Amino acid sequence: MKEKIKTILQKYNNDRGRLMDILIDLMENSGYIDDFSVSVLAEDLKISAAQVRETISFYHFFSEKPKAKFNIYLNNSITSCLRGFSSIKSTFEAESGIKFGEISSDGLIGLFETSCVGMNDQGPAAIINDKIFTNLTPYRARKLIESIKDGKTLDGLVYENYGDGNNSHPLMNSMVYNNIRKKSILLDENYERFDVIKNIIKNSSSEEVIQIIEDSNLRGRGGAGFPTGLKWKFGSRMPGEHKVIICNADEGEPGTFKDRVMLTQYNDLVFEGMVLSAFATKADMGVLYLRYEYKYMLKYLNSILDEMRENNLLGSNISGIEGFNFDIRIQLGAGAYVCGEESALIESMEGKRGEPRDKPPFPVEKGYLDLPTIVNNVETLASAVKIVKNGAKWYSSFGTKDSLGTKLLSVSGDCRFPGIYEVEWGTSIREVLEMAGADNVQAVQVGGPSGTLINVKDIDHLSKTELMKWYKPSGMMAAQKSFDRKLSYSDLPTGGSIIIFNKERDILSDVVMNFMDFFIEESCGSCSTCRNLPRIMKEKLQKIINGHGVRDDIDDLLNWGKIIKVSRCGLGQTAANPVLSSILNFRHLYEEHVMAMTDYDNQFDLGKSVSAANSFVGRKLIHKHS
Amino acid sequence: MSEEIKFKIDGKEIIAKNGQTIVEAARENGVYIPTLCNFKGVKPKGSCRICSVKVNNRFMTSCTTPASPGMEVYSNTDEISDLRKSIVELLFVSGNHFCPACEKSGNCELQALAYKYRMMVPRFPYSFKKKGVIATGPKLLKEQDRCILCQRCIKTIKDVEGRRYYAFRNRGNKLEVVMDEAMSKTISDELAKQAMDNCPVGSIIYKEIGFAEPIGTRKYDKKPIGSDIETN
Ligand SMILES: Cc1cc2nc3c(=O)[nH]c(=O)nc-3n(C[C@H](O)[C@H](O)[C@H](O)COP(=O)(O)O)c2cc1C
Ligand code: SF4
Ligand code: SF4
Ligand code: FES
C-alpha cells in the first residue's frame, strides 16, 4: 500500500500543489482515502494531516470512508425532480435495500445524491463509478440494481446503445446525447480544423488578434459577461515569463450543459481557442479545468491534445512561430460548484479547498501560482476562434447593438425538445419557448438558480413597496411583458441556463426550495453571510409554505436577501435570488400562503408542542387550544 | 512604496501609506472599523464581512481592500451599522454563545461587538446547533459551537516548518475548524496560549486557567471595543 502511495506522490513530484490529482489517483486506486494514506501524504507533503483532510472533506467526490463497488450518484437538480427523481430514488432504495447516504452491508452498492451533473436535457441521470446513466426511469433503476446484483461489470450495465456523435467514440463510450437543436455561426459547419493556428496567427501580431476580439465586442459567456478583448489586453500587458490560460469547464450552474456538448463535439474549436488566447496574451501554460462529472470525456480529450502535439499545434514553436511555446493539461475537479468561480478554481488547481479569493487582485494580475492568469469559459474561447477567422465585422452582423453574436442556450424542464439552441442575442423568451415546444408555461428560470425567475404575466402590477425598490434585476423594465423580455446584456444576461416550468408546478415548494438547497450544499462556507443566511431563509420560506407565515416574514426575507449581498463571491451574492426573484415576480404565491390580517403566528399549537413532555410525565392536556 | 496618499472615510480625511488597507489606514488615523477575522501580521481573508464599507456605492471589505487616492469610503452610516449588527446576530444564532458560562466572557470580541451594536434579541431564529467540544489534546480544548470560523487560528498557529495546527473541515453550513490530532499532543505551552489569545471568541480554551482572571475585570468589561482607536 505504502508503495502505491509513494508511486502516486512521485508521479506529481511530491508537490502539494498537485494534491487534487494525488487524491483523485488515490480514489481511483482504492475507492477511498484511508487514515494511513492521509498520514503518508501529510508526511511527504510536509503538511499536517488536518490540512490533507481539509481538501478531502471539501469535495463531494472524495471520501475518507470506504465506498461501495458500485456508487450510484443520483442527480437531484430541479429538472431531475420534474422528471421523476423521487420515484427513481425510492426504486433504488427498495431494490437495493438501503437508504440514500448508505452502503450495502456486502459493500456492493452505495447510494448518494449529487447536484446538477450537466444532463438536464436527458435527466434524471446518475453517475455510477464515473459513467453517466441518462434518462432513468423506475424500470431502468430496477434493471440496474438487478444487473449489479447479477455480477455484471460497469460496462455490462450500459443499456442498449451509446449516444450520438463523439459520445460513441471508443475512448468515450457514453450514453449521453448531444441534443443539438439549433445551429448558428458557432456550431455550423463553417470551420476548418486548426486553420486559425496554422494559417492566420502566423501572419498576425498579438495586438492585431486582441484588436479583432475587442472590435467584436465579445463578452464572457460564463455568466459574468466581462469583455474578452479587454481581459486579453490586460493579460498581454502583464509582465512575467510565465502566464496561464485556463479554460473554465466546471459548468456547475444547474441547468447548463452547453460546455458538455462543446467539449464532446467541438473540442478542437475549444482547444484552438486556448492556443489563440495564449498567442494573444503570450501565455505558456494552459489548463482545462474539467468538472469531475465529465470525467468520462477525459481520455478522449487527452487524445485530441496528443494529436495536436503531434501536429505541432501544441508544444514549442507552435505552427512554426518562433518562440510560441504553449501546452495544455487537463485538471479534474472533484465535485464543487463554487470551483467554477475563477479564483476558487485556481485555489482548487493549487490543491486547496475551493475557497474564492478576495479581489483585488484579480486573476489576470495574480492567479495560478501568483502568475498572471486569464480565465475564460469554453464557449468564449470557441467563439474567439470563429471571430478571428471571419472578422469582427462579420460577427457584428449578428445579435443586437449591445450584445453581438450568438449565445448557446441549454434549455430544459417542461418542454418537448430540451437541448442546445444557438440563438442570436436579442431573442425573446417567447421565441425560445416556441422553439423548445413548451406550452402551458407558468415560469422560466433564466440563468440558473442564481439568475431570474420570470413570470408569464405582466410585471408592472407587481409590488412597488418601499422594500422592493432596492432589488433591481439587471435592466428590468417595469411595463414590459415578461416573456417578451430579450436575452441580452442589457435586459436578461445569462450563462445560458433556461429551465421551463409549466402550470402544474409548485413554484415555492418545488422550485425555490430546491434552489435554496443547492446553495446551502454548495457554499464554500467562508463568509459568515453565505454560510448561514441561505439556511435561515429557507427555513423562513418553509414556515410560509406551511401556512405559518405573516406579512412581516416576506419583508424579512427581502431584508435578509440584502444582507447576503456583502458576501465575497458571486455564489453568496446571488444565493438569495431564488427567494428575491420569486417574491418580485410571484408575490401572489407568498401572499396566498401568509395570514393576511395578523402580524404574529397564531397557529401555535400548544397541545402538540408539549405532547412529548405530557406523555413523559403522564399528564393530560386540560383544555384544547385552537 | 512609502509614498503618502489621501482619501476619505465618512468625510474625514485620512492619510495612508501606499499599499495600506482601508482598515489599517483608518486605525492609524483614529477611525475604528470593526474587524473579526482580520489579524495583525497575517494576510487578510475577508470572511466575517463585518468590516464591510461602501465605496462607489458598492460593498467592499476594508480589511482586504487597499486604500487608493481620492477614494470616498462610507463606514459609519445607519445602513452599514445595521448590516454589521446583523452579522453579529448571525454569528450568535448560528452557534451557541452563552456568555455567562464562557471562559472568554469580557475578553471576547464578538460579545464586545454585540454590546457596541446594542444587540438585544437577534432578528434571526437560533439554530440550536450542537457540534460539541473536542478536548482530546492535553492542553487545549475546542468548543465547536462557539467557533465563528474566522480562520485566525488557521493562519497564525503553525510549527517551525509551516505545518498548520488548525484546519477547516467540510464546507458550507457544515464547515468546522478542527485541530490536528497528532499535533495537538505536542503543542508547546507558549503556542497553546497564543492560540487561545488569537481566537476572538471562546472556542479555543487553554485548559484549567479559564477563570483565573475574574469576569468583570477583563479587557472589554472596562472599555468598549474600539475605544482605544477612536480619537474624535
Ligand atoms: C459560483 C460561481 C460559479 C461559476 N461557475 C462558472 C462555470 O461553471 N463556468 C464558467 O465559465 N464560469 C463560471 N463562473 C464565472 C467565472 O468566475 C468567470 O467569470 C468566467 O469563467 C470567466 O470567463 P468568461 O469571461 O469567458 O465568461 C462562476 C462564477 C461564480 C461566482
Ligand atoms: S460567498 Fe459563499 S461561496 Fe463565495 S466565498 Fe463567501 S462563503 Fe464562499
Ligand atoms: S477557533 Fe477561534 S480563531 Fe479559530 S476559527 Fe474558530 S473562532 Fe476563529
Ligand atoms: S475583518 Fe474584514 S472580513 Fe473579517
Side-chain angles (χ1 to χ4, degrees):
Chain A
M1 185 62 205
K2 190 156 184 172
E3 280 315 301
K4 268 259 162 69
I5 306 172
K6 294 265 181 193
T7 320
I8 292 173
L9 278 164
Q10 266 153 25
K11 182 171 158 197
Y12 300 103
N13 295 323
N14 278 10
D15 178 1
R16 79 172 81 136
R18 298 298 294 273
L19 187 56
M20 286 295 282
D21 304 270
I22 295 169
L23 294 172
I24 288 168
D25 281 11
L26 272 171
M27 283 297 297
E28 208 150 277
N29 217 291
S30 4
Y32 75 112
I33 300 151
D34 62 0
D35 292 349
F36 179 70
S37 306
V38 170
S39 66
V40 177
L41 292 192
E43 193 173 317
D44 287 16
L45 301 176
K46 300 193 166 52
I47 51 181
S48 61
Q51 274 171 277
V52 178
R53 295 187 198 279
E54 178 175 279
T55 298
I56 298 175
S57 62
F58 184 83
Y59 295 95
H60 190 60
F61 291 106
F62 289 152
S63 173
E64 291 168 89
K65 284 190 246 130
K67 280 269 152 110
K69 195 161 167 224
F70 292 92
N71 298 294
I72 302 177
Y73 283 92
L74 180 61
N75 159 29
N76 62 12
S77 78
I78 180 70
T79 42
S80 176
C81 295
L82 301 182
R83 293 172 56 145
F85 168 83
S86 60
S87 62
I88 293 157
K89 179 175 172 174
S90 52
T91 308
F92 273 133
E93 288 184 334
E95 294 296 315
S96 63
I98 53 170
K99 295 262 168 252
F100 267 71
E102 293 175 356
I103 289 171
S104 62
S105 53
D106 56 0
L108 188 64
I109 300 168
L111 297 179
F112 310 92
E113 287 187 30
T114 196
S115 301
C116 186
V117 296
M119 301 288 155
N120 264 11
D121 53 336
Q122 45 205 299
I127 301 181
I128 309 182
N129 302 7
D130 308 340
K131 222 178 176 62
I132 310 256
F133 291 78
T134 57
N135 289 324
L136 288 172
T137 55
Y139 172 81
R140 279 181 164 167
R142 194 165 66 241
K143 288 286 163 203
L144 280 173
I145 300 288
E146 276 172 15
S147 308
I148 290 173
K149 285 187 172 166
D150 283 349
K152 289 240 171 80
T153 61
L154 185 64
D155 284 328
L157 302 181
V158 170
Y159 13 97
E160 301 71 38
N161 53 342
Y162 295 127
D164 58 344
N166 292 331
N167 286 298
S168 43
H169 190 284
L171 290 173
M172 190 113 75
N173 275 349
S174 104
M175 282 173 276
V176 177
Y177 277 82
N178 289 330
N179 288 330
I180 300 172
R181 309 276 185 190
K182 186 174 179 334
K183 292 182 182 182
S184 179
I185 52 173
L186 180 60
L187 302 184
D188 65 13
E189 265 70 64
N190 170 22
Y191 172 59
E192 206 175 317
R193 272 183 108 207
F194 306 123
D195 182 43
V196 166
I197 312 181
K198 283 188 201 152
N199 300 314
I200 297 190
I201 54 175
K202 227 173 170 163
N203 306 312
S204 357
S205 66
S206 121
E207 288 75 21
E208 281 165 347
V209 169
I210 292 174
Q211 194 59 52
I212 297 175
I213 301 295
E214 280 201 288
D215 291 344
S216 77
N217 249 328
L218 177 63
R219 293 169 67 165
R221 302 296 195 232
F226 191 84
T228 308
L230 198 59
K231 195 184 276 187
W232 289 13
K233 191 147 127 196
F234 286 147
S236 76
R237 289 184 181 167
M238 288 300 295
E241 216 182 309
H242 300 293
K243 292 181 199 171
V244 190
I245 300 291
I246 296 175
C247 174
N248 188 344
D250 197 52
E251 188 157 67
E253 185 82 47
T256 66
F257 43 85
K258 52 147 186 122
D259 295 343
R260 176 197 90 210
V261 175
M262 288 304 290
L263 290 169
T264 305
Q265 215 56 42
Y266 298 84
N267 40 57
D268 33 21
L269 196 58
V270 177
F271 289 139
E272 187 167 14
M274 290 179 75
V275 177
L276 175 66
S277 110
F279 176 79
T281 58
K282 305 178 196 76
D284 58 339
M285 239 188 268
V287 180
L288 173 79
Y289 189 95
L290 185 67
R291 67 184 308 214
Y292 189 86
E293 290 83 344
Y294 295 166
K295 187 164 174 237
Y296 70 95
M297 296 184 199
L298 184 62
K299 273 197 200 137
Y300 178 64
L301 291 176
N302 270 321
S303 77
I304 304 288
L305 292 176
D306 283 339
E307 181 204 329
M308 289 176 73
R309 283 183 199 107
E310 279 158 27
N311 291 297
N312 190 221
L313 300 166
L314 284 176
S316 22
N317 302 325
I318 291 173
S319 178
I321 303 170
E322 198 62 37
F324 179 28
N325 308 325
F326 177 72
D327 210 329
I328 299 173
R329 78 172 169 90
I330 300 178
Q331 171 73 61
L332 275 179
Y337 162 63
V338 68
C339 286
E341 196 282 336
E342 52 188 8
S343 63
L345 185 153
I346 289 168
E347 288 281 300
S348 173
M349 270 174 54
E350 293 179 0
K352 300 180 230 161
R353 62 196 301 275
E355 190 176 309
R357 295 176 178 175
D358 300 290
K359 292 166 189 166
F362 290 89
V364 67
E365 305 158 78
K366 234 179 175 202
Y368 179 55
L369 306 175
D370 285 348
L371 301 167
T373 303
I374 293 98
V375 185
N376 273 131
N377 174 255
V378 171
E379 185 185 346
T380 314
L381 291 164
S383 304
V385 175
K386 290 253 171 158
I387 292 168
V388 168
K389 166 82 191 178
N390 300 297
K393 208 159 161 219
W394 164 81
Y395 198 67
S396 48
S397 61
F398 303 93
T400 67
K401 218 185 267 157
D402 69 0
S403 317
L404 298 183
T406 60
K407 178 79 194 85
L408 295 180
L409 303 181
S410 314
V411 179
S412 67
D414 293 317
C415 63
R416 285 193 296 282
F417 308 108
I420 299 295
Y421 293 79
E422 184 185 1
V423 301
E424 286 187 47
W425 284 106
T427 303
S428 72
I429 294 298
R430 190 178 304 284
E431 287 169 295
V432 174
L433 295 177
E434 281 168 10
M435 286 178 213
D439 332 295
N440 206 20
V441 177
Q442 175 181 197
V444 180
Q445 182 78 25
V446 181
S450 63
T452 317
L453 181 68
I454 61 177
N455 192 337
V456 67
K457 295 210 184 76
D458 280 4
I459 42 173
D460 57 354
H461 74 280
L462 291 162
S463 162
K464 294 184 188 82
T465 63
E466 199 49 37
L467 274 155
M468 298 301 295
K469 277 187 189 150
W470 61 270
Y471 178 68
K472 289 195 195 72
S474 37
M476 223 178 66
M477 282 168 276
Q480 204 177 17
K481 290 246 204 241
S482 297
F483 281 7
D484 288 326
R485 290 182 65 187
K486 291 183 164 51
L487 299 167
S488 70
Y489 288 105
S490 59
D491 185 7
L492 272 177
T494 173
S497 164
I498 306 271
I499 309 176
I500 303 165
F501 303 108
N502 69 23
K503 297 213 166 88
E504 262 91 84
R505 307 300 177 184
D506 186 329
I507 296 293
L508 297 191
S509 24
D510 294 344
V511 181
V512 180
M513 289 296 267
N514 178 288
F515 289 167
M516 292 313 282
D517 278 333
F518 172 76
F519 286 121
I520 294 168
E521 174 66 30
E522 297 295 336
S523 159
C524 86
S526 173
C527 304
S528 61
T529 39
C530 169
R531 179 174 69 242
N532 296 306
L533 273 170
R535 178 188 55 80
I536 293 175
M537 291 178 75
K538 186 194 147 187
E539 282 165 13
K540 176 80 95 178
L541 176 60
Q542 186 68 62
K543 176 187 166 193
I544 292 174
I545 291 172
N546 290 348
H548 292 252
V550 294
R551 274 170 172 252
D552 278 354
D553 287 320
I554 305 178
D555 292 343
D556 278 348
L557 285 173
L558 287 168
N559 279 321
W560 298 353
K562 197 169 157 189
I563 298 168
I564 201 170
K565 301 267 175 208
V566 304
S567 303
R568 185 190 303 132
C569 84
L571 190 153
Q573 288 158 12
T574 58
N577 282 7
V579 169
L580 297 179
S581 179
S582 57
I583 296 181
L584 182 69
N585 294 331
F586 291 85
R587 193 172 174 117
H588 61 282
L589 297 178
Y590 287 80
E591 301 277 354
E592 280 162 19
H593 278 98
V594 300
M595 294 172 283
M597 298 313 289
T598 57
D599 50 10
Y600 61 91
D601 177 3
N602 65 2
Q603 297 204 352
F604 177 67
D605 186 343
L606 178 66
K608 205 168 144 204
S609 301
V610 299
S611 65
N614 277 346
S615 74
F616 189 67
V617 297
R619 178 175 53 202
K620 281 209 184 74
L621 204 61
I622 298 172
H623 59 90
K624 205 171 146 39
H625 291 254
S626 56
Chain B
M1 205 40 207
S2 65
E3 112 204 31
E4 274 184 359
I5 59 167
K6 285 182 187 162
F7 71 103
K8 282 191 177 146
I9 300 181
D10 295 328
K12 179 182 162 166
E13 186 164 274
I14 306 285
I15 298 169
K17 292 186 215 67
N18 202 359
Q20 238 177 353
T21 61
I22 298 174
V23 150
E24 285 168 339
R27 174 180 292 261
E28 282 178 16
N29 285 266
V31 173
Y32 174 67
I33 299 176
T35 57
L36 275 172
C37 64
N38 194 27
F39 198 73
K40 220 171 63 205
V42 290
K43 196 174 162 218
K45 178 100 202 181
S47 55
C48 72
R49 316 308 288 175
I50 195 120
C51 70
S52 293
V53 292
K54 252 186 173 171
V55 183
N56 281 333
N57 214 22
R58 283 186 54 193
F59 285 111
M60 315 271 252
T61 42
S62 54
C63 67
T64 62
T65 310
S68 62
M71 200 178 214
E72 295 202 15
V73 178
Y74 293 91
S75 170
N76 237 337
T77 64
D78 287 348
E79 182 196 20
I80 295 172
S81 295
D82 188 59
L83 173 77
R84 290 177 182 155
K85 184 177 179 182
S86 72
I87 290 174
V88 171
E89 292 174 4
L90 260 186
L91 292 170
F92 266 88
V93 302
S94 60
N96 181 5
H97 299 272
F98 187 61
C99 300
C102 179
E103 293 86 340
K104 198 82 172 223
S105 181
N107 287 328
C108 171
E109 294 175 33
L110 182 66
Q111 182 191 41
L113 284 172
Y115 281 122
K116 178 178 167 66
Y117 289 104
R118 298 174 194 279
M119 181 182 102
M120 303 299 282
V121 178
R123 68 197 78 180
F124 312 107
Y126 280 95
S127 71
F128 300 111
K129 276 209 184 124
K130 270 204 198 118
K131 290 181 178 159
V133 180
I134 305 172
T136 46
K139 298 204 173 82
L140 291 169
L141 60 83
K142 182 124 185 358
E143 206 333 341
Q144 295 301 69
D145 295 305
R146 291 180 194 156
C147 178
I148 58 168
L149 303 155
C150 70
Q151 315 195 25
R152 280 197 203 173
C153 55
I154 292 182
K155 289 189 287 194
T156 57
I157 309 300
K158 297 179 183 173
D159 73 4
V160 282
E161 285 173 296
R163 272 185 208 87
R164 295 199 258 114
Y165 283 85
Y166 291 91
F168 275 135
R169 203 171 159 73
N170 300 324
R171 70 182 186 203
N173 205 240
K174 300 198 188 86
L175 187 68
E176 285 190 69
V177 167
V178 293
M179 194 174 190
D180 186 87
E181 212 180 303
M183 289 172 82
S184 76
K185 301 209 165 83
T186 55
I187 191 168
S188 72
D189 253 5
E190 196 191 350
L191 205 54
K193 286 195 176 126
Q194 201 189 328
M196 171 161 171
D197 290 343
N198 290 3
C199 177
V201 293
S203 183
I204 300 179
I205 299 293
Y206 194 99
K207 289 181 179 176
E208 295 172 10
I209 60 163
F211 296 99
E213 189 191 4
I215 290 177
T217 63
R218 296 175 174 186
K219 190 169 173 191
Y220 303 119
D221 293 334
K222 295 178 207 150
K223 280 173 109 187
I225 193 164
S227 58
D228 50 338
I229 295 170
E230 266 163 351
T231 45
N232 284 331

